[in-house]
Amino acid sequence: MVSSGWCFLAAMIVAYGFANLLQSVAAARTTLHHTFDPGLLLRLAGHRTYLVGLLCQVTGFVLAFLARRDLPLFLVQASVAAGLGVTALLGVVVLKWRLPAAEVVLLALLFGGITALVLAARPAPSRQLGTAGLIGLAAALGVIALLGFFAVRLHGAPGSVVLGSLAGMAFSAAAVAARPLASADSAEAFVRNPLLYLLVAHSLVGQLLLGLAMQRGSTTAAVAAMDAAGAVPAAIVGLLLLNDKIWPGREWLAGAGFLITLVAVVGLTRYAEPQHHHAVARDRERRMVGAGAAARPRR
């Protein structure tokens, strides 16, 4: 019998693809933030485009949560990166993005790596995290937030990559919390489980960091950095602690697929070009120049 996790996984990829595109458009239209300010999320929420993108992301998150009930984290987290291909395709068709040849090749490589992981992954229920795991997730939340507080000083592509990477770490921790949480046997056990609140906290921090990253340059670079940083920790924890499985004899395929996927997403952080400039900042510059010209005394 085919696990329903595969259907959830495919739908998740499409949902995240739409979410990345819509949120990047809204981030580009919002005043550029230079501080780790949660108010950015409130300003973004004022854009209908962002809210639709957020709905797509929540849908993708729920689908990923359901997929993690049976599928290993190394597959689900790596497959999140496949949404980047959907984003790029939509950007080309809808927003007339022009993707460089290197980016097209890397996206094709990304899909090849995901395919290998799909063939290697073996569905299995998760083991539960102990007290040490809960403490580790809580500590990770504090460290990621602290690093984000300082990382907002970076601008341009470096800012996109660093903030995107921190967002990936936050979402990776949320994924680790979600895998055993998805196996809760009742609604009461689900609500009372501290993993639920760690999952929500990591997701909110990750969402803020991703919004900041998208304001600073290439959507592809920000999302690729997020996916690269989020895939490795979750894969390691899943294999060591959460009962993630690989079909016997396909360990080499899983290793190759994961390596190819990682190389592709890291490459995208290097070669991806900005698809938009910050519209609000540009309009503000025009107004300042116009005001300066008007105020200049005539001779």
Side-chain angles (χ1 to χ4, degrees):
M1 182 178 177
V2 178
S3 169
S4 59
W6 298 110
C7 298
F8 294 134
L9 190 74
M12 174 204 77
I13 291 171
V14 176
Y16 274 132
F18 276 92
N20 293 335
L21 181 75
L22 294 169
Q23 289 184 25
S24 72
V25 170
R29 295 174 179 172
T30 305
T31 304
L32 186 64
H33 277 229
H34 301 286
T35 61
F36 189 69
D37 180 10
L40 173 62
L41 294 179
L42 296 177
R43 291 179 178 86
L44 287 171
H47 292 271
R48 186 179 302 174
T49 302
Y50 182 80
L51 292 177
V52 176
L54 184 61
L55 177 61
C56 291
Q57 182 164 356
V58 170
T59 301
F61 182 85
V62 172
L63 292 166
F65 182 85
L66 295 172
R68 291 185 191 108
R69 184 180 182 90
D70 298 317
L71 300 181
L73 283 180
F74 70 80
L75 171 61
V76 179
Q77 293 310 104
S79 295
V80 170
L84 197 56
V86 177
T87 302
L89 180 61
L90 290 170
V92 170
V93 173
V94 178
L95 300 180
K96 308 304 179 185
W97 287 356
R98 294 183 179 181
L99 302 182
E103 192 168 334
V104 174
V105 171
L106 288 167
L107 286 169
L109 197 63
L110 174 64
F111 280 108
I114 297 297
T115 300
L117 289 174
V118 168
L119 295 174
R122 179 183 176 184
S126 173
R127 282 198 295 263
Q128 294 299 310
L129 280 175
T131 303
L134 294 174
I135 294 173
L137 287 173
L141 179 65
V143 171
I144 293 168
L146 181 63
L147 292 174
F149 179 81
F150 292 104
V152 291
R153 301 175 185 179
L154 298 173
H155 305 288
S160 288
V161 172
V162 173
L163 289 165
S165 297
L166 289 173
M169 293 179 188
F171 287 131
S172 180
V176 169
R179 174 95 159 103
L181 182 62
S183 300
D185 53 8
S186 68
E188 181 182 359
F190 181 83
V191 172
R192 295 178 61 181
N193 195 323
L195 287 173
L196 172 62
Y197 304 99
L198 286 168
L199 184 155
V200 171
H202 275 286
S203 297
L204 289 174
V205 170
Q207 191 66 29
L208 173 58
L209 289 165
L210 180 58
L212 290 165
M214 285 180 168
Q215 284 194 318
R216 281 159 172 75
S218 169
T219 297
T220 308
V223 178
M226 176 186 71
D227 293 337
V232 177
I236 293 173
V237 173
L239 289 169
L240 294 179
L241 301 177
L242 299 179
N243 197 41
D244 284 2
K245 300 288 186 180
I246 300 171
W247 288 109
R250 298 185 187 177
E251 291 82 4
W252 66 273
L253 188 60
F258 193 80
L259 181 61
I260 291 171
T261 301
L262 193 60
V263 167
V265 292
V266 170
L268 284 168
T269 68
R270 170 65 178 83
Y271 290 104
E273 296 179 358
Q275 289 88 20
H276 55 71
H277 299 286
H278 200 276
V280 172
R282 188 167 61 249
D283 291 342
R284 180 175 293 177
E285 287 178 7
R286 289 198 187 109
R287 289 197 298 270
M288 290 175 66
V289 170
R296 190 179 298 128
R298 295 181 181 180
R299 296 183 180 179

